[in-house]
Amino acid sequence: SIESSLLLRFRDASYDVPDFGLSLLDCWKGLWRAKTLNWVAIPTKSPVMWGSIDVEEYDHYQDPLNGDITVVIPGKFIAFKGPVDLGE
């Protein structure tokens, strides 16, 4: 058993002061809920799919030049990372 105080809480990717933190237990509960809603599944044999997540599409949209978005609820909700200065 790992002492929970030894694990840092997850925070968003922006540079602002975090207004919440997610524990490892929060993340496991979220993954379990997503599994019960069929948003994620046991990994398939395909090298580019993890359950129902298309890894190549995920990587594409994680690039700031492609929107830097993440699908949170398929067909319903996407999340954006904090603003990034791409320079000139």
Side-chain angles (χ1 to χ4, degrees):
S1 173
I2 297 174
E3 177 69 35
S4 63
S5 65
L6 297 176
L7 300 172
L8 295 176
R9 291 181 167 265
F10 177 82
R11 55 161 291 172
D12 66 40
S14 70
Y15 295 106
D16 292 335
V17 175
D19 56 357
F20 70 93
L22 294 173
S23 69
L24 184 57
L25 181 58
D26 294 329
C27 295
W28 280 116
K29 286 180 178 180
L31 184 58
W32 178 257
R33 178 73 173 142
K35 182 183 177 299
T36 63
L37 295 171
N38 294 318
W39 294 346
V40 296
I42 295 171
T44 63
K45 293 180 182 180
S46 170
V48 296
M49 293 291 287
W50 188 87
S52 59
I53 298 171
D54 182 330
V55 176
E56 288 179 350
E57 179 181 61
Y58 176 86
D59 286 342
H60 172 80
Y61 287 111
Q62 284 294 295
D63 186 322
L65 298 175
N66 297 323
D68 204 3
I69 62 174
T70 302
V71 175
V72 178
I73 301 174
K76 295 184 179 184
F77 182 70
I78 60 173
F80 295 89
K81 199 183 292 184
V84 175
D85 181 6
L86 297 178
E88 299 204 25

